[in-house]
Amino acid sequence: MERIDDVTIEGQQARSVWVYAFDQADPRDRTRLGGKGANLAQMVQWGLPVPPGFTITTEACKAFWQAGERLPDHLQSEVSMAMLRLERAAGKRFGDAFHPLLVSVRSGAPVSMPGMMDTILNLGLNDVTVRALAYQSQNPAFAYDSYRRLIQMFANVVFHVPLDPFEHVLQSAKARHGCKFDGDLAAGAWKEVVATCLRVYAERVGEPFPQDVHTQLRLAIEAVFRSWRSQRAMVYRKLHNLSEDLGTAVNVQAMVFGNIGEDSGTGVIFTRHPATGERALFGEFLVNAQGEEVVAGTRTPQPIAELAIKMPTVYRSLITVAHQLETRFRDMQDVEFTVERGRLYVLQTRNGKRTAQAAVKIAIDMVHEGLIQPQEALLRVDAQHLRQLLYRRLQSTDGLAVLTKGLPASPGAAVGRIVFDANTAVAWAGRGERVILVRPETTPEDIHGVLAAEGVVTLHGGMTSHAAVVARGIGKPAVCGCDDLRIDMEKLTLCAGEAMLREGDWVSVDGGMGMVFIGQGTLAEAQMANELNELLAIADQVRRLRVRANADTPEDARRAREFGAEGIGLCRTEHMFLSPARVPLVQRMILATHAVERKAALDELLPLQVADFTEIFRVMDGLPVTIRLLDPPLHEFLPREEELVANLGRLRAKATSESEIAEVEQLLCQARYLREANPMMGLRGSRLGIVYPEIYDMQMEAIVIAAAQAVESGIQVELEVMLPLIGSTKELRHLRERMEQVGQAVMERLGVTIDFRIGTMIEVPRAALTADEIAEDASFFSFGTNDLTQMTYAFSRDDAEGKFLNVYFDRDILSSNPFETLDTRGVGRLIRWAVESGKSRRPDLKTGVCGEHGGDPASIAFCEELGLDYVSCSPFRIPVARIAAAQAALQHERIG
Amino acid sequence: MERIDDVTIEGQQARSVWVYAFDQADPRDRTRLGGKGANLAQMVQWGLPVPPGFTITTEACKAFWQAGERLPDHLQSEVSMAMLRLERAAGKRFGDAFHPLLVSVRSGAPVSMPGMMDTILNLGLNDVTVRALAYQSQNPAFAYDSYRRLIQMFANVVFHVPLDPFEHVLQSAKARHGCKFDGDLAAGAWKEVVATCLRVYAERVGEPFPQDVHTQLRLAIEAVFRSWRSQRAMVYRKLHNLSEDLGTAVNVQAMVFGNIGEDSGTGVIFTRHPATGERALFGEFLVNAQGEEVVAGTRTPQPIAELAIKMPTVYRSLITVAHQLETRFRDMQDVEFTVERGRLYVLQTRNGKRTAQAAVKIAIDMVHEGLIQPQEALLRVDAQHLRQLLYRRLQSTDGLAVLTKGLPASPGAAVGRIVFDANTAVAWAGRGERVILVRPETTPEDIHGVLAAEGVVTLHGGMTSHAAVVARGIGKPAVCGCDDLRIDMEKLTLCAGEAMLREGDWVSVDGGMGMVFIGQGTLAEAQMANELNELLAIADQVRRLRVRANADTPEDARRAREFGAEGIGLCRTEHMFLSPARVPLVQRMILATHAVERKAALDELLPLQVADFTEIFRVMDGLPVTIRLLDPPLHEFLPREEELVANLGRLRAKATSESEIAEVEQLLCQARYLREANPMMGLRGSRLGIVYPEIYDMQMEAIVIAAAQAVESGIQVELEVMLPLIGSTKELRHLRERMEQVGQAVMERLGVTIDFRIGTMIEVPRAALTADEIAEDASFFSFGTNDLTQMTYAFSRDDAEGKFLNVYFDRDILSSNPFETLDTRGVGRLIRWAVESGKSRRPDLKTGVCGEHGGDPASIAFCEELGLDYVSCSPFRIPVARIAAAQAALQHERIG
């Protein structure tokens, strides 16, 4: 970077280290110049109409903090030199009684922190220069108004004096003079206002407003540096995971005035529509106004198209500038401009914020326009952000009162009338009503209600509760754990605070936000526009990671293929046990007191499982399907103990037949026997398969029969059987050998050969720690990062999310939710170890992630770094995963 | 080792690789010779009276298995050569019609497997040689009886024919001839018996008894090799963790006969008393009998002292031999001998099995006798075994019927009368009764009953249930999870199967075995004999690892010091919350709806905690005390939900006052609010400290006040404050900083300075994985291996031990219980990583183990290997740990 070293002060040559003029700075050095400074330098160097100025680097900010909130001496002399040069460029002098130079002082961090940092305008005005400005502009009202603005902004930014007392001065002056608008005040009145403001200033600050313009400048620079550590800036950085060490730069720029008359003005434009991505100028402007007024919203600006009528020449220039900026920055720009006496100045430009929809459209349009390469288009979208395109959403929540806020258990939105039990849900839905099922919690017995409803709300249970899991699986919105709601099942009412709803009342559910609103909102459908498909096609060419789906049913599988899944990475067989028709069979199997009886119940389940699998194979023709054998503890298939006890009480009160009572008693007895202190770590997964081998035998038999039927009808089956909750190689070997035997026996019986591979979930820390041994018995590892995160942190997700994670976020003990974004330091270390040591024993080991992290962009980037083969996520996340995988591949290539 | 290479067969010189004569083998080579063979060679080479013979090595056994259960040709020729040499030494020939050599063929593995392997005697007898033996011995009955024995033993060992049909032949012959004893049968009758036995043999085996003596020998050797893989041998090896690859040797030895007349006999002696360790010959003998008869118990042998009267010369020789053996083998010997016509032969010697008490006494006596070095004495005891000396035990359970078997939740024994609730326990104990508290399960509300009772029996709950933890802490026996018991609280009866006991009936409890007996057994007190103290003193000089105690109360601490603890490694503060007087305060604290109210309840707890800590500091004067802040979830301090519901029902039925009902309702409401899906992974430990900071604040304040009081009264306090369930360095830093501030504030208030160090439990896998970061905020790591094992395996101990660990042991998926012996492969890998990476950041990091593994010898050996600083275990385990630590140091030195 060139330095301001051609300026001499009193013959002395000095090298600048902290201060760079716009026309001499290296625009690529955003770290030191900040985003705003770099863009100003860039625009100046491209010859765009930018008022001259200079940037004080972020390193000066660090030096300021290191020196104990003091500007180092050398910095002060560098600023003096830069001001000399600026005076020369502007043809005015700072503090001059005839041609005073006025400047703005603005912060500009390396990363955009909109609205977070401080700005002071009109610096250089004092009792003397204000008169010169009045004379030069032939507009005393403008000059004094500018001075007033400086005084109050300066008091506010430098000394944290609130704005109200100054505003009050202006308001009472207007009242006194019977004026409605600022512009109506006469010059004399303005002088009075300024005098009063100076008095207010002196009272509030404890010393007079500095008449020395260099003091003004020094204090302003210090204030901007100090604002880096303001409460709001720190909160923002925390929220966005930004480093505290970046520091901010300061931009000092000659003022231009949009409030100098009717031939002046100020505005903001986006070079394309930030909501839709449409290619047309979008923005607004105010005549005879300063920039702050647009932002502050004190006056209502006009649409930018009006400018074509009001100032056609300026408008044409603006179009040219917008085109230039977009072409040169190669992205949609958010531009602040000012018109001073008919002349256009660009004050700032940056890449414009945009909706997910706009991001996709703009990226693809720019590829078509030849502005960017297809791969660049990929990096122009925030993959996480894309999710909102894939679900229905509430068009607007204006006018809807919030009923409650719970956990965002399953994304998407729904609108319907509330019902309180599954049977009513089915009945109402049967006659064409849209219903929302509201339950204390859901159990397998409610599943027909969940299927019939548009969405589900529960009072208890977390992100992994039954309702949440089922709803996510079938892509319906759910809000869980709304523990401020109360249901009265007698009166059929639902209360939250003061609000009371009755059965049949309308509510609107936003599962992605975890919100429930009172009333009937309007839904907006999900959008998979052509541009998104085009972007996905680009992603598919770039990415290395395969993307599979977590899909448990043929419907899931179909949806997954539509979204571009390249296989099923996790087919949970337990969900097949939960359909209402099967629950009695499953319960009989659980109630069996010995293996023979259990086998009989399982024999009845067998053909049903076969049918499920056959259909899934048919849908996934030619793609791999990973079927996980039964995982959850058996008591999950029984009604809750409390419910059984209550039920028993009712039956007894009604003097029901003995046999009916006995049946419930037996269920209760078994539920109590199966009760566990910590079911997450109890009799489930492979342990279930070892203790009750008949269950896995049946499942394996069903899988092989289904595969054989599929193959017979010309379907290509690529089968992977996955064993859950493995903790040691002996568990795995025991089950693998048994499953191979069962598979072999079935194949011999049917006279067919089905190729299948057996692998394991890695979801228990010990499995990861002994992955070298485990790899000898597994042909693939699928990291079950949900459970692995739970065990590694010793966080029960259901308990943690309700009881302490919020406190952890508040106290900055956790910066992100490890159940959403993979904890690379702890859990990631286990995964890395498992991949490396597993591959050391079995180089062709296939590896993937099938936890919820499989759909999270940051986690996908980590999977790319580790060289996993695939990620698997819920069908609705697949487009996100495809984009994120491609982005990760590009990033990895860049680093690697 | 020298080889039998001086024997030529038909002029051909052959090198032996698998067969070694006793006088030529190298006795140090136990791996190849087996224990018995090595000892026989040793005795022969020391000149002791041992019949000549040779050993076929364990490598031949492996070759046999590798060759598909066939003796390799070369082995057969080596055996032939060795037999030639044996014939020369014995002055008889194998199969000779006049001077037939008879041999025994016995197995002998490198590690003793008593009674597990097969033996055949009298090999070499056939229809011809039996006549020569009859002639030579002048005792045809003896000769034919020997032949009969060979036939049936051969049929049994080689062809697995049961013994009964042969025994039946003998019994019916005796009946036919009207004889009571075998010896009464005449020679003619014996010939009949043999002829019949040969017929039975041919029928059962399908071919005649081999008359060719070399065939006999070959088949016998093969049978011994084959017995290595017999069911019972494999079960034994599994039980004792012995390798399948060792193989067994075979010893072929010239027969001597104890059953040749009244001047002959056979017996077994121990050179010291195997139960008490007393230094005197102990054993028994049978006149005119073969060794198998002593073992089989068909005749009742006489005490060895009788031999001094019956055969004084032989007895004197035996004393000399015993002394020689003990001096030379430097350990107590278990010796088998035979007297043939007044001449003593030693057939076998081995280190004798002994009780823990005998092991200690013998080891220390031998040190005093100068026979072994003090350090060797340490390796002569099984540390695990020593536990039985430290608890009271049931002297005998003869005559006591088993009531039930449950989990061995807390060791020791107790005898008392059953009561069914805590209040009755206290009342009865108050009037001097010994009581056993029997409860469905215990809660904090029962603690006064547990304290008053001699022992506890519960129907539900596992090794970590409340009853188990409390009982272990106070050293009382407990048997938990006796789920076949039924209590009827109305009738005050206890049933198990057919048995029914009433309140007040006597039971005897063995907490170490998990047994409950009906009736009043006799207790034997714990023994800490002088010899044990002497051994412990030796251990203390040898060991590097410090041994601390897990002690929660001043009583625990006192006991711990008596047992030799060098500090407290884990003082659990929650137990201080559980005393009956404090439960109401603790519940008030939990019911508090905001911090101020909670603080008020905590303020009342403060002085109580101060008193606890002060007394503990006083007891531990000069030794480190590690205090862990509150760990368990708060709902553990509330009554169980079911109990509250039942209670509420009762109160309502009785129309109790509204306020009383409201109180219970509030408790129930809070219990429901605090309910967790997986409390093990819920709101506990440091999470509790972060969410409810007032609790840890109070504890820290109490600790510092107590330390100040102790220091004031001249006590030396070495304080360590431990934060539980840390999973990330941010959690730790947050709490460390807060605790330091609280500590500082209290010290300033009191005007004192107390040195304290803050460290953390490593019990969450993530803490171990990120130990490098965590070490920056912790001055010590104490591995909480109980929870670390639970999380690493994803085993909830309470659920696993009841529901599937047994199946895992049965199916050989687990070979030992990871909650008893540390899993070095998985959990150990985490610990190793944590120690190494922790020390890389903080070289002076102190490390220890405070889980139950801290008292387990195998786990202690691992701690030594990792170079930890200390282990901490329950007071009763401390002597075990001291010995085990010393043994580990010696082993480590030997390897390292």
Short mmCIF file of all heavy atoms in Angstrom, two decimals, chain B residues 455-482:
data_model
loop_
_atom_site.label_atom_id
_atom_site.label_comp_id
_atom_site.label_asym_id
_atom_site.label_seq_id
_atom_site.Cartn_x
_atom_site.Cartn_y
_atom_site.Cartn_z
N GLY B 455 -28.33 -52.80 58.58
CA GLY B 455 -28.15 -53.03 57.15
C GLY B 455 -29.44 -52.69 56.43
O GLY B 455 -30.47 -52.48 57.06
N VAL B 456 -29.34 -52.61 55.10
CA VAL B 456 -30.49 -52.18 54.31
C VAL B 456 -30.73 -53.17 53.18
O VAL B 456 -29.78 -53.67 52.58
CB VAL B 456 -30.22 -50.78 53.69
CG1 VAL B 456 -31.46 -50.27 52.97
CG2 VAL B 456 -29.79 -49.80 54.74
N VAL B 457 -32.00 -53.43 52.93
CA VAL B 457 -32.38 -54.25 51.79
C VAL B 457 -33.43 -53.45 51.01
O VAL B 457 -34.37 -52.92 51.61
CB VAL B 457 -33.00 -55.59 52.25
CG1 VAL B 457 -33.49 -56.41 51.05
CG2 VAL B 457 -31.98 -56.38 53.07
N THR B 458 -33.22 -53.30 49.70
CA THR B 458 -34.24 -52.62 48.90
C THR B 458 -34.70 -53.50 47.75
O THR B 458 -33.95 -54.36 47.28
CB THR B 458 -33.75 -51.28 48.31
OG1 THR B 458 -32.77 -51.56 47.32
CG2 THR B 458 -33.18 -50.36 49.37
N LEU B 459 -35.94 -53.26 47.33
CA LEU B 459 -36.51 -54.04 46.23
C LEU B 459 -36.10 -53.48 44.89
O LEU B 459 -35.89 -54.21 43.94
CB LEU B 459 -38.04 -54.05 46.35
CG LEU B 459 -38.63 -55.06 47.33
CD1 LEU B 459 -38.10 -54.85 48.75
CD2 LEU B 459 -40.15 -54.98 47.33
N HIS B 460 -35.97 -52.15 44.82
CA HIS B 460 -35.62 -51.52 43.54
C HIS B 460 -34.31 -50.77 43.68
O HIS B 460 -33.86 -50.49 44.77
CB HIS B 460 -36.72 -50.55 43.11
CG HIS B 460 -38.09 -51.16 43.18
ND1 HIS B 460 -38.42 -52.29 42.50
CD2 HIS B 460 -39.19 -50.79 43.88
CE1 HIS B 460 -39.68 -52.60 42.77
NE2 HIS B 460 -40.17 -51.72 43.62
N GLY B 461 -33.75 -50.38 42.57
CA GLY B 461 -32.55 -49.56 42.59
C GLY B 461 -31.31 -50.40 42.43
O GLY B 461 -31.29 -51.58 42.80
N GLY B 462 -30.29 -49.77 41.87
CA GLY B 462 -29.06 -50.49 41.56
C GLY B 462 -27.91 -50.08 42.46
O GLY B 462 -28.11 -49.59 43.57
N MET B 463 -26.72 -50.26 41.91
CA MET B 463 -25.50 -50.02 42.67
C MET B 463 -25.31 -48.54 42.98
O MET B 463 -24.49 -48.18 43.81
CB MET B 463 -24.29 -50.51 41.88
CG MET B 463 -24.32 -51.98 41.54
SD MET B 463 -24.09 -53.03 42.99
CE MET B 463 -22.36 -52.68 43.37
N THR B 464 -26.00 -47.69 42.23
CA THR B 464 -25.81 -46.27 42.49
C THR B 464 -27.08 -45.67 43.07
O THR B 464 -27.23 -44.46 43.10
CB THR B 464 -25.46 -45.52 41.19
OG1 THR B 464 -26.49 -45.79 40.26
CG2 THR B 464 -24.14 -45.97 40.65
N SER B 465 -28.00 -46.52 43.49
CA SER B 465 -29.23 -45.99 44.07
C SER B 465 -28.89 -45.30 45.39
O SER B 465 -27.80 -45.48 45.95
CB SER B 465 -30.23 -47.12 44.30
OG SER B 465 -29.74 -48.01 45.27
N HIS B 466 -29.84 -44.56 45.87
CA HIS B 466 -29.62 -43.79 47.09
C HIS B 466 -29.17 -44.68 48.24
O HIS B 466 -28.19 -44.41 48.92
CB HIS B 466 -30.93 -43.07 47.45
CG HIS B 466 -30.86 -42.30 48.71
ND1 HIS B 466 -31.37 -42.77 49.89
CD2 HIS B 466 -30.28 -41.12 48.97
CE1 HIS B 466 -31.13 -41.88 50.84
NE2 HIS B 466 -30.48 -40.86 50.31
N ALA B 467 -29.90 -45.77 48.46
CA ALA B 467 -29.57 -46.67 49.57
C ALA B 467 -28.14 -47.18 49.43
O ALA B 467 -27.38 -47.23 50.41
CB ALA B 467 -30.55 -47.85 49.57
N ALA B 468 -27.75 -47.55 48.22
CA ALA B 468 -26.43 -48.13 47.99
C ALA B 468 -25.34 -47.11 48.30
O ALA B 468 -24.36 -47.40 48.99
CB ALA B 468 -26.32 -48.61 46.54
N VAL B 469 -25.54 -45.91 47.81
CA VAL B 469 -24.52 -44.88 47.99
C VAL B 469 -24.37 -44.52 49.46
O VAL B 469 -23.26 -44.44 49.99
CB VAL B 469 -24.87 -43.62 47.15
CG1 VAL B 469 -23.96 -42.46 47.50
CG2 VAL B 469 -24.79 -43.95 45.67
N VAL B 470 -25.51 -44.34 50.13
CA VAL B 470 -25.46 -43.97 51.54
C VAL B 470 -24.83 -45.09 52.34
O VAL B 470 -23.95 -44.87 53.19
CB VAL B 470 -26.87 -43.63 52.06
CG1 VAL B 470 -26.85 -43.47 53.57
CG2 VAL B 470 -27.40 -42.37 51.40
N ALA B 471 -25.24 -46.32 52.09
CA ALA B 471 -24.74 -47.46 52.86
C ALA B 471 -23.23 -47.61 52.66
O ALA B 471 -22.48 -47.77 53.63
CB ALA B 471 -25.48 -48.73 52.45
N ARG B 472 -22.76 -47.51 51.44
CA ARG B 472 -21.33 -47.62 51.20
C ARG B 472 -20.59 -46.52 51.93
O ARG B 472 -19.52 -46.74 52.49
CB ARG B 472 -21.01 -47.55 49.70
CG ARG B 472 -21.24 -48.86 48.97
CD ARG B 472 -20.49 -48.91 47.64
NE ARG B 472 -20.92 -47.90 46.69
CZ ARG B 472 -21.94 -48.06 45.84
NH1 ARG B 472 -22.64 -49.17 45.84
NH2 ARG B 472 -22.27 -47.10 45.00
N GLY B 473 -21.19 -45.34 51.89
CA GLY B 473 -20.54 -44.20 52.54
C GLY B 473 -20.35 -44.42 54.02
O GLY B 473 -19.31 -44.05 54.58
N ILE B 474 -21.33 -45.01 54.69
CA ILE B 474 -21.22 -45.19 56.14
C ILE B 474 -20.78 -46.60 56.50
O ILE B 474 -20.72 -46.97 57.67
CB ILE B 474 -22.55 -44.84 56.86
CG1 ILE B 474 -23.69 -45.72 56.35
CG2 ILE B 474 -22.89 -43.37 56.68
CD1 ILE B 474 -25.03 -45.43 57.01
N GLY B 475 -20.44 -47.40 55.48
CA GLY B 475 -19.88 -48.73 55.75
C GLY B 475 -20.88 -49.73 56.28
O GLY B 475 -20.52 -50.61 57.06
N LYS B 476 -22.14 -49.57 55.88
CA LYS B 476 -23.13 -50.56 56.30
C LYS B 476 -23.49 -51.45 55.13
O LYS B 476 -23.55 -50.98 53.99
CB LYS B 476 -24.41 -49.85 56.77
CG LYS B 476 -24.17 -49.21 58.11
CD LYS B 476 -25.43 -48.93 58.86
CE LYS B 476 -25.04 -48.41 60.23
NZ LYS B 476 -26.10 -47.71 60.92
N PRO B 477 -23.77 -52.74 55.42
CA PRO B 477 -24.11 -53.62 54.31
C PRO B 477 -25.45 -53.26 53.68
O PRO B 477 -26.36 -52.82 54.39
CB PRO B 477 -24.14 -55.01 54.93
CG PRO B 477 -24.33 -54.77 56.39
CD PRO B 477 -23.70 -53.45 56.70
N ALA B 478 -25.54 -53.44 52.38
CA ALA B 478 -26.80 -53.20 51.69
C ALA B 478 -26.92 -54.17 50.53
O ALA B 478 -25.94 -54.46 49.84
CB ALA B 478 -26.88 -51.77 51.18
N VAL B 479 -28.13 -54.66 50.35
CA VAL B 479 -28.45 -55.48 49.19
C VAL B 479 -29.60 -54.77 48.48
O VAL B 479 -30.62 -54.47 49.11
CB VAL B 479 -28.87 -56.91 49.60
CG1 VAL B 479 -29.24 -57.73 48.38
CG2 VAL B 479 -27.74 -57.59 50.38
N CYS B 480 -29.39 -54.44 47.22
CA CYS B 480 -30.40 -53.66 46.50
C CYS B 480 -30.97 -54.46 45.33
O CYS B 480 -30.39 -55.46 44.92
CB CYS B 480 -29.80 -52.36 45.97
SG CYS B 480 -29.34 -51.24 47.31
N GLY B 481 -32.06 -53.94 44.80
CA GLY B 481 -32.66 -54.54 43.60
C GLY B 481 -33.10 -55.98 43.79
O GLY B 481 -32.98 -56.79 42.89
N CYS B 482 -33.64 -56.31 44.98
CA CYS B 482 -34.14 -57.67 45.20
C CYS B 482 -35.56 -57.70 44.65
O CYS B 482 -36.54 -57.63 45.40
CB CYS B 482 -34.19 -58.00 46.69
SG CYS B 482 -32.61 -57.75 47.50
#
